[in-house]
């Protein structure tokens, strides 16, 4: 669909809202947990707290690994410190 292409393009250009809400959440709602975690990992590393919390939830639910959560946490911290 055309709208998704625009959100994907925006996400590739660094638009955090597009990455978290439009791509991460939509993949999660479609049942694509692994892809949702990948989108949220990227936006968490850009300093998005909602994405970090989403990965934390997925880790607690068994859909993300401890390593993924740790990587997201460190990336988030680095982005916030900048």
């Amino acid at each position: 669909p055309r709208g998704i292409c625009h959100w994907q393009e925006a996400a590739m250009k660094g638009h955090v809202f597009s990455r978290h809400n439009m791509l991460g959440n939509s993949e999660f709602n479609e049942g694509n947990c692994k892809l949702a975690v990948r989108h949220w990992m990227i936006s968490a590393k850009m300093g998005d707290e909602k994405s970090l919390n989403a990965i934390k939830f997925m880790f607690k639910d068994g859909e993300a690994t401890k390593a993924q959560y740790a990587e997201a946490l460190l990336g988030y911290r680095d982005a916030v410190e900048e």
Side-chain angles (χ1 to χ4, degrees):
R2 193 175 204 172
I4 295 291
C5 291
H6 291 295
W7 289 115
Q8 289 172 333
E9 187 176 329
M12 286 187 278
K13 291 182 179 181
H15 192 259
V16 176
F17 178 82
S18 297
R19 180 71 67 178
H20 172 81
N21 277 3
M22 296 300 149
L23 298 177
N25 287 350
S26 66
E27 292 296 345
F28 175 76
N29 291 336
E30 292 290 322
N32 300 324
C33 295
K34 288 182 181 182
L35 192 51
V37 168
R38 287 177 50 199
H39 285 299
W40 290 331
M41 288 283 291
I42 294 167
S43 52
K45 291 177 184 180
M46 295 169 71
D48 186 57
E49 188 175 1
K50 290 179 183 179
S51 296
L52 179 63
N53 290 334
I55 294 169
K56 180 180 175 181
F57 170 79
M58 297 295 274
F59 170 62
K60 288 180 177 181
D61 204 36
E63 296 292 341
T65 66
K66 185 176 183 177
Q68 286 173 315
Y69 179 55
E71 182 182 342
L73 193 57
L74 291 174
Y76 172 79
R77 185 194 66 193
D78 291 344
V80 171
E81 287 178 355
E82 286 183 359

